[in-house]
Amino acid sequence: AKTTEKSLNRLTFQSDRVITEINHRDIHRDRGYRTIFAFMDTELHASNCKARLERMDRVQPERSLTGEPTQAEYPELAKVFASGDAGTTHIDIALSWLKKIPLAAGFDEKVAAERTLAGHATEFGASALGTCGSRIIAHIDPDGELIEKKDRDRRRGITLGKQGADGMSKVTGYVDPILRARLETLFAAWGKHGVNNPDTPNSLNGDSRTAEIVDPDGLEAGAVKDMRTQPQRNHDAVNALLTAVLADGMLG
């Protein structure tokens, strides 16, 4: 079983190398595909195309402006992946921690971090490798003094996932400290029990005019009957805020 898994890892690396070369030569365009993602998804029936492309950008050799092959961004990870000693999950975990190293950290520390993660990726399980990554970050920047605004800026982002058959969509991402503080304030004020409850038509909804006509006793009773979880109340608070913004015409 171990030999089989190692062979699969090696084959995956080599397949990624071929796809990288196809991308460099624009062969996918000759086949009628605008993007390499579309080529992988439709022509190759590849799995996890987005994750594979992100991994390829880090551990597959690139080409210079003159067309000459250059070293991969993370050559040590590329070696253990190519040898089959580490699989895609371990490589992805290692890459996720390397991305968290502050930009102000020294070059030698970054190289040492990659070498350490590459070595541990061949020895430990996924959870243990994640612990190793956490310890590396703590060693490089124990007090968080190296983290700068540009470190947070490069990680910030909110992604709205595809809409499912039930109409629901998953939201993922990272928010900076300022947006987090604003969200916490919003959740504390508009995410309370009995506030902005879609199941209670007369609940306080953040509108100052509503506050004048809401029955305090009814509001308290509504709070007692509010069976929503905190995440559900957070959702309704954001929805109420955006409803107010749209109704006010702030977006034009």
Side-chain angles (χ1 to χ4, degrees), residues 150-180:
K150 56 186 177 182
D151 290 302
R152 292 188 288 270
D153 286 348
R154 65 171 175 161
R155 295 189 62 199
R156 78 189 191 282
I158 297 175
T159 301
L160 185 62
K162 292 183 179 181
Q163 195 170 29
D166 60 354
M168 302 296 285
S169 304
K170 184 176 182 179
V171 179
T172 58
Y174 288 96
V175 299
D176 64 19
I178 295 177
L179 180 53
R180 177 189 173 93

Side-chain angles (χ1 to χ4, degrees), residues 51-199:
R52 287 185 68 175
L53 286 170
E54 292 176 353
R55 191 185 312 121
M56 281 186 260
D57 286 341
R58 301 291 182 263
V59 299
Q60 288 292 337
E62 291 293 331
R63 287 189 177 273
S64 65
L65 294 177
T66 58
E68 296 296 325
T70 61
Q71 183 174 256
E73 180 179 354
Y74 294 113
E76 296 299 323
L77 288 179
K79 288 179 182 178
V80 298
F81 191 14
S83 66
D85 293 323
T88 55
T89 299
H90 288 71
I91 298 298
D92 289 344
I93 291 175
L95 290 173
S96 69
W97 284 105
L98 289 171
K99 287 169 59 177
K100 295 178 182 179
I101 297 177
L103 295 174
F107 175 77
D108 292 342
E109 291 179 313
K110 295 178 182 178
V111 171
E114 184 206 352
R115 186 179 297 112
T116 300
L117 284 169
H120 288 336
T122 66
E123 301 176 10
F124 303 122
S127 59
L129 184 61
T131 301
C132 173
S134 177
R135 291 177 177 175
I136 287 175
I137 298 298
H139 174 75
I140 293 176
D141 189 19
D143 301 320
E145 296 179 352
L146 295 180
I147 297 177
E148 301 176 354
K149 182 178 181 299
K150 56 186 177 182
D151 290 302
R152 292 188 288 270
D153 286 348
R154 65 171 175 161
R155 295 189 62 199
R156 78 189 191 282
I158 297 175
T159 301
L160 185 62
K162 292 183 179 181
Q163 195 170 29
D166 60 354
M168 302 296 285
S169 304
K170 184 176 182 179
V171 179
T172 58
Y174 288 96
V175 299
D176 64 19
I178 295 177
L179 180 53
R180 177 189 173 93
R182 289 170 176 166
L183 286 173
E184 288 177 334
T185 301
L186 173 67
F187 297 155
W190 283 15
K192 296 187 296 186
H193 281 94
V195 179
N196 294 308
N197 188 350
D199 298 326

Side-chain angles (χ1 to χ4, degrees), residues 189-190 194-197 203-211 214 240-241 244:
W190 283 15
V195 179
N196 294 308
N197 188 350
S203 69
L204 185 64
N205 59 18
D207 191 328
S208 60
R209 292 169 299 177
T210 305
V214 165
L241 176 63

